[in-house]
Amino acid sequence: MKTNSSNDSFNLAAIDIGSNAARILIKSVSRKCAGESGVQTFYTKKLQFLRIPLRLGMDVFSIGKISKEREDLLVRTIKVFRQLLTIYDVAEYRACATSAFRDAKNGKKILKEIERKYNIEIEIVSGDEEAKIIRDNHIQEDGKNYLYMDVGGGSTELSLISDGKLMASRSFNVGTLRLLNESVSSEQIDEMKESVATMTAGYDEIQIIGSGGNINKLFRLVPKKEKTKDTMPAGSLLKIYQRLASLSVEQRMREFDLREDRADVIVPAAELFLLVAEKSGADTFIVPTLGLADGIINELVEKNIKL
């Protein structure tokens, strides 16, 4: 699906098939030219966002493949996504599958069948590519050190940016669903700790830029007096984590108005963010509430700027 570069406005979509949920984000893009210079400026507006908790990782991280039951749920979800692409007259989209599909024995076969039925091509992206899309979401200030961190159901992506330059990037098969399934070994956690300490050694005053549904929700749960518009201290994250960890899943759902598929993964997610903060020496989290789907849309907008 390609855009017509002569149009003043068009719609773009991103589909993110994660280990915990599938998401579709649709945005309208308006193109304006500035006077005689002809410089193009793009404005985006969210039209639709839908999240379906498929939990593909529950199968993949325990039996190594996607079960028929979850495959059927995925297919029905993609059918809805296909209809939304048509309803919103989407000019171009990109669909990505992440950690669960990277590990699923039957992943490629399922995606081929989906493409045949619904004419939607879903690509399995590597951990490095996933990290790149996420970190390209944000603008950093020169002269500062940032550690981009995205925690998903199946993997955690880290990218170290110093003075606007990428210094290191790692993807770990350590995610919230893997932790709940007890599919992460102590050796993997130790490797992650050592890698974080090594990649951040010599960098001072690191700030973690967190992305993903869990850090977004954790940020909202922190009291307003303890945070700014998009920043919170690591100490505030620690306090809300301790409160959540002391409760059962059912109690978290009642007390914090969480969905069940958020209430169980939010504690291991907080543990991972706090682990990385400790090993990197970071004492501040920046939470711009952007994720992989936003990054995909931004990539598509950048592509159209060059048309």
Side-chain angles (χ1 to χ4, degrees):
M1 305 170 73
K2 300 297 181 182
T3 60
N4 182 341
S5 60
S6 64
N7 290 343
D8 290 330
S9 64
F10 49 91
N11 296 338
L12 300 175
I15 295 174
D16 168 16
I17 310 298
S19 300
N20 195 32
R23 306 165 187 84
I24 183 169
L25 173 65
I26 301 175
K27 287 188 175 184
S28 67
V29 183
S30 300
R31 185 202 323 262
K32 294 184 179 180
C33 292
E36 296 181 358
S37 66
V39 175
Q40 294 187 92
T41 303
F42 286 75
Y43 302 91
T44 63
K45 179 182 179 181
K46 183 169 72 174
L47 299 177
Q48 179 64 259
F49 177 77
L50 179 62
R51 176 185 181 276
I52 307 295
L54 300 177
R55 305 223 126 179
L56 301 176
M58 282 296 194
D59 290 339
V60 178
F61 307 143
S62 58
I63 62 175
K65 64 179 183 179
I66 297 169
S67 67
K68 187 64 170 64
E69 179 184 1
R70 292 193 196 274
E71 178 185 347
D72 289 343
L73 181 57
L74 171 63
V75 170
R76 291 197 295 271
T77 298
I78 295 301
K79 181 179 180 180
V80 172
F81 287 0
R82 171 79 267 180
Q83 292 171 334
L84 288 173
L85 294 178
T86 302
I87 290 169
Y88 285 94
D89 191 24
V90 168
E92 188 171 4
Y93 73 90
R94 184 182 183 188
C96 297
T98 57
S99 184
F101 268 95
R102 290 197 288 265
D103 288 7
K105 296 174 185 176
N106 56 345
K108 291 182 180 179
K109 179 180 178 182
I110 290 173
L111 295 186
K112 284 182 180 179
E113 181 63 17
I114 286 173
E115 183 176 2
R116 185 190 69 80
K117 289 184 70 173
Y118 298 113
N119 193 30
I120 289 185
E121 181 180 355
I122 303 172
E123 58 184 301
I124 302 174
V125 296
S126 68
D128 289 341
E129 171 69 3
E130 185 179 357
K132 179 183 182 300
I133 295 171
I134 292 165
R135 68 173 178 263
D136 286 350
N137 253 333
H138 317 297
I139 299 175
Q140 318 89 24
E141 294 182 42
D142 290 343
K144 293 190 176 183
N145 300 319
Y146 299 95
L147 188 60
Y148 285 84
M149 182 174 181
D150 180 77
V151 175
S155 65
T156 295
E157 277 67 46
L158 296 173
S159 297
L160 178 65
I161 305 290
S162 180
D163 198 18
K165 298 177 182 177
L166 175 64
M167 309 307 294
S169 182
R170 285 290 308 271
S171 178
F172 302 90
N173 282 336
V174 179
T176 57
L177 289 184
R178 289 188 196 266
L179 289 167
L180 287 179
N181 270 352
E182 298 182 349
S183 302
V184 179
S185 67
S186 58
E187 289 79 12
Q188 286 176 292
I189 295 295
D190 288 341
E191 180 195 358
M192 186 173 177
K193 290 178 180 178
E194 292 172 9
S195 295
V196 172
T198 299
M199 73 189 294
T200 58
Y203 294 92
D204 299 325
E205 299 181 0
I206 292 174
Q207 299 179 79
I208 294 176
I209 299 179
S211 66
N214 287 301
I215 193 66
N216 293 345
K217 177 59 71 172
L218 287 162
F219 181 77
R220 295 187 189 104
L221 295 180
V222 169
K224 289 184 178 180
K225 63 182 180 181
E226 297 182 24
K227 62 188 178 184
T228 62
K229 180 181 178 182
D230 61 0
T231 304
M232 67 177 171
S236 295
L237 177 58
L238 176 60
K239 285 192 290 185
I240 195 64
Y241 157 72
Q242 291 172 333
R243 177 58 182 153
L244 288 164
S246 70
L247 304 173
S248 67
V249 170
E250 291 75 16
Q251 289 171 325
R252 293 172 207 160
M253 292 171 63
R254 289 196 302 269
E255 184 167 332
F256 293 99
D257 192 26
L258 299 176
R259 300 185 309 270
E260 183 176 4
D261 65 293
R262 180 68 68 201
D264 58 355
V265 295
I266 198 168
V267 166
E271 290 172 348
L272 289 173
F273 279 107
L274 290 168
L275 179 154
V276 170
E278 178 188 357
K279 292 301 175 181
S280 65
D283 61 5
T284 302
F285 284 90
I286 300 171
V287 187
T289 62
L290 298 171
L292 181 64
D294 300 277
I296 293 171
I297 294 286
N298 290 343
E299 278 194 342
L300 293 175
V301 171
E302 287 294 321
K303 177 181 175 182
N304 278 276
I305 287 176
K306 298 174 182 178
L307 292 179

